[in-house]
Amino acid sequence: MSKYTPILTRRYTLPQSWTLAVAESAGAYEAARKALNTMTPEAIRAEVKAANLRGRGGAGFPAGVKWSFLAPKPGQQVYLVINADEGEPGTFKDRTIMEKDPHRLIEGCIITMYAIGSHKTFIYVRGELALAIERLEKAIQEAKARNYLGSKPFGTNHPMEIVVHPGAGAYICGEETALLNSLEGKRGEPRLKPPFPAVRGAFDMPTIVNNVETIASVPDIILMGGEAWSRLSLLPPEFNDGGVRLYGVSGHVARPGIYEAPVGITLRELIYELGGGMLHPDRPLKAVIPGGSSTPVIRPDDKVHAPDPKHPLHRWHGKSHLDVPMGVDTMRGIGSMLGTCCAIVMDTSVNMVEVARNLMRFYHHESCGQCTPCREGTGWLVDILNQVAGGRGNKVHLDLLVDVSNNMMGNTICALADGAAMPMLALIQKFRKEFIEAIEKGLTNDHRLDRAIRHALLKEGALA
Amino acid sequence: MMRNENENPHAPFQPDPKEEQAIDELIAKYPTKRAACLPLLHMCQRRVGWISPEVIDFVAKRLEMSTAEVKGIVTFYTMYHHAPVGKHVIWVCRTLSCELRGAKTIQEHLERRLGCRPGQTSRDGRWTLKKAECLAGCGYAPVVQIDDRYYEELTPAKLDAILDQIEKGEMPPQSETPWRLP
Ligand SMILES: Cc1cc2nc3c(=O)[nH]c(=O)nc-3n(C[C@H](O)[C@H](O)[C@H](O)COP(=O)(O)O)c2cc1C
Ligand code: SF4
Ligand code: FES
């Protein structure tokens, strides 16, 4: 992978990469100029479809297909809304685009607005990300001053405007319909679907909601053509999962961070090559959460079971889950999810009951409270796990955790409840012994999640 | 809007003409008035330090909402302070990636240094300590946010240096997020 030439991140290392002068000297807005001056909206949409660009926000829905659901009635405005609420634990990729190359996102918005017949984009940025907001605002000013936005962008008669909207701290606002409510100045509570945003979204108008990275991929799709972009992926074409993407790796690796690579590298490559391997030579990999905290945990010794030659994963039959190329459908095929493609790596010092307790506390805190199974269920999970940790565990607790989780799935307005229940169930299924042990003996200070590095941290710096 | 410490805390919230203009511009960005609610609350909080009842009244009136609606919003989002806070607010991320890299150690260190627990303000009124959920800095853990700046890849000693500097009246800049080439 050392020969890889970055695409999405190619401007990140330039000094002042976030300014228009620097970005433009390194190719920014070439794609927008080409799209608006030489292409029809239909042609752009066809390229994005051919690119097999799967949404980068977690669900992996093909962007080109989503755009085709738009059918505005006469007189209706179409809005483009960028989901920049980045809050899924373990995920920190969109922030790098907004901080280091905001013009890439703006260029993507310009091309997309033209392609879908929209004149206005709202970028909903997580309120905490003050630097990202500042750089986006500045970049929009710069683009306006050059007439890349405004009444005639690149001389084309298609007025465009971009508004940066700050969130105010609520994970649930990353869910697209909660985000729309929050944008409208309401509590960030998810809406019942249907209607889907493409029919009735922001301010009751047809709306496309896409993740930051999804839209930031559009300029290069236009420059190199959808098919060529799609072929950059390492996955076989029948997976319809094209291009390159940002990978994140955090936790117990030597070089945590965001890295760009083609779609379809393996978890092993992400951890041991890009991530620089495990943090400490004596503490091997125990578990990895592949794509944000809502994705079920993976063990290195889990093997692909697909003996049937017609099974889509057959070619990886018998291999470790770490050696399956990461894609939306391949990860689903091994019982997990690709999610945001940002992995959390845990070594043998980690107690999985503590992991569950940390994550369930998160979901309980972030549940918007509209649905009883989610509001109460996440609370019960936390209560039970706290009792177990506190040494008041009971044999029935294991079944209770499974029961509560099962009752949360599929019974709610949005996917937050599933996003809590799925990892909970996977943790129990894959680390059952640890749960039983905790129920019998409770947990002590020795199980705290930073126990392996605490000493070094207190002594200063050197972590390993 | 700068925060004015001599302001009468119970006077109705009254923007100056420059602020009025900024608010008009804000509202003009959206198809409805109430859509400006979140950014307007941020603006007010930057000036007053928290979302006081006077701010709620002002926002409700200005955006033609009921005060109950504005309160419903203020309580939904974590960034709005429902009560006065210290001069600086420190948010310690306690979610999994940070936890694996020492977030609890960082929090304990802060509790000792500031003499207060999460949710509380130090006796000298300088610091309010809060726990945060994932701040989108997981690869640069442990992470704290002080006011609107991120400080990443912390150790207790690094954090001490940052706090010392802030106590002297200088806010250290947020460093550029590390970018490591593969
Ligand atoms: C609880 C929850 C939180 C979410 N958080 C985010 C987020 O922070 N950023 C994001 O882009 N998508 C998030 N999503 C996914 C969005 O609902 C939506 O699928 C996505 O923005 C669509 O964009 P894409 O098709 O480009 O991926 C979240 C979904 C759920 C259920
Ligand atoms: S599932 Fe949870 S977060 Fe989603 S709408 Fe229901 S209560 Fe709210
Ligand atoms: S877990 Fe702390 S920033 Fe994500």
Side-chain angles (χ1 to χ4, degrees), chain A residues 170-192:
Chain A
Y171 164 67
I172 191 57
C173 290
E175 196 281 336
E176 57 185 11
T177 59
L179 182 143
L180 295 175
N181 273 340
S182 182
L183 172 64
E184 292 177 12
K186 299 175 186 155
R187 290 163 68 91
E189 287 164 348
R191 303 174 180 171
L192 270 170

Side-chain angles (χ1 to χ4, degrees), chain A residues 55-57 66 83 85-87 171 174-176 209-211 214 415:
Chain A
R56 305 301 197 222
K66 186 187 283 190
N83 191 338
D85 195 46
E86 191 150 76
Y171 164 67
E175 196 281 336
E176 57 185 11
V209 184
N210 270 133
N211 171 261
T214 311

Side-chain angles (χ1 to χ4, degrees), chain A residues 9 12-13 18 79 86 89-92 95 99-100 120 122 126-131 135 163 165-170 172-173 182-188 203 250-253 255-256 258-259 274 279 289 344-346 350 355 358-359 362 365-366 448-450 453-454 457-458 460-461 463, chain B residues 28-32 34-39 42 65 69 71-73 75-80 94-106 108-109 112 131 133-142 145 148-150 152-158 174-182:
Chain A
T9 60
Y12 276 27
T13 47
W18 50 89
Y79 290 119
E86 191 150 76
T91 307
F92 54 106
R95 191 184 142 201
E99 288 181 3
K100 295 189 189 293
K120 190 154 184 163
F122 293 102
R126 200 182 159 160
E128 289 90 339
L129 298 177
L131 184 63
R135 288 195 177 159
V163 170
H165 182 88
I172 191 57
C173 290
S182 182
L183 172 64
E184 292 177 12
K186 299 175 186 155
R187 290 163 68 91
F203 308 101
S250 67
H252 293 150
V253 287
R255 288 161 25 98
I258 297 292
Y259 299 97
L274 298 178
L279 182 63
I289 297 177
I344 307 173
V345 176
M346 292 167 277
V350 175
V355 170
N358 183 284
L359 292 182
F362 170 82
H365 184 261
E366 300 300 332
R448 54 188 279 172
L449 290 169
D450 66 353
I453 64 167
R454 178 174 153 73
L457 202 58
L458 287 171
E460 192 46 9
L463 283 185
Chain B
K29 290 181 178 179
Y30 301 93
T32 64
R34 72 175 294 159
C37 188
L38 265 56
H42 281 307
M65 297 165 69
E69 282 175 312
K71 270 185 207 155
I73 285 168
T75 51
F76 189 85
Y77 299 95
T78 54
M79 286 178 75
Y80 301 126
R94 288 296 307 274
T95 317
L96 186 56
S97 298
C98 282
E99 203 68 356
L100 294 170
R101 301 289 295 223
K104 191 166 179 179
T105 304
I106 293 289
E108 288 165 349
H109 180 75
R112 231 172 293 125
K131 280 201 236 181
E133 299 295 356
C134 181
L135 289 168
C138 327
Y140 321 109
Q145 185 192 352
D148 60 2
R149 297 190 183 176
Y150 277 37
E152 300 174 318
E153 299 187 328
L154 292 172
T155 62
K158 273 198 211 170
Q174 170 170 336
S175 41
E176 200 49 41
T177 299
W179 184 250
R180 305 175 182 100
L181 289 169

Side-chain angles (χ1 to χ4, degrees), chain B residues 8-166:
Chain B
N8 168 4
H10 298 297
F13 183 85
Q14 192 55 60
D16 62 32
K18 237 177 93 192
E19 290 167 342
E20 273 296 352
Q21 194 194 334
I23 296 171
D24 286 337
E25 284 168 13
L26 192 62
I27 293 172
K29 290 181 178 179
Y30 301 93
T32 64
K33 272 195 173 178
R34 72 175 294 159
C37 188
L38 265 56
L40 181 54
L41 284 167
H42 281 307
M43 215 186 233
C44 296
Q45 178 160 291
R46 273 197 290 276
R47 158 109 96 82
V48 182
W50 65 296
I51 304 295
S52 62
E54 292 75 22
V55 166
I56 291 181
D57 286 342
F58 168 76
V59 171
K61 212 164 175 182
R62 196 74 170 69
L63 301 182
E64 294 162 19
M65 297 165 69
S66 73
T67 51
E69 282 175 312
V70 179
K71 270 185 207 155
I73 285 168
V74 171
T75 51
F76 189 85
Y77 299 95
T78 54
M79 286 178 75
Y80 301 126
H81 306 303
H82 322 152
V85 288
K87 194 164 170 211
H88 301 284
V89 180
I90 309 187
W91 296 90
V92 186
C93 174
R94 288 296 307 274
T95 317
L96 186 56
S97 298
C98 282
E99 203 68 356
L100 294 170
R101 301 289 295 223
K104 191 166 179 179
T105 304
I106 293 289
Q107 185 188 316
E108 288 165 349
H109 180 75
L110 282 169
E111 287 178 12
R112 231 172 293 125
R113 170 166 174 149
L114 309 179
C116 65
R117 310 260 299 156
Q120 298 176 336
T121 297
S122 62
R123 193 165 294 217
D124 60 9
R126 226 184 319 213
W127 304 99
T128 296
L129 183 59
K130 294 208 178 195
K131 280 201 236 181
E133 299 295 356
C134 181
L135 289 168
C138 327
Y140 321 109
V143 180
V144 308
Q145 185 192 352
I146 305 180
D147 300 337
D148 60 2
R149 297 190 183 176
Y150 277 37
Y151 300 98
E152 300 174 318
E153 299 187 328
L154 292 172
T155 62
K158 273 198 211 170
L159 188 55
D160 271 340
I162 291 167
L163 264 55
D164 288 345
Q165 204 181 334
I166 296 175

Side-chain angles (χ1 to χ4, degrees), chain A residues 172 190 367-371 374-375 412-414 416-417:
Chain A
I172 191 57
S367 167
C368 84
Q370 285 190 104
C371 324
C374 172
R375 183 187 63 238
T412 54
I413 295 175
C414 89
L416 182 138

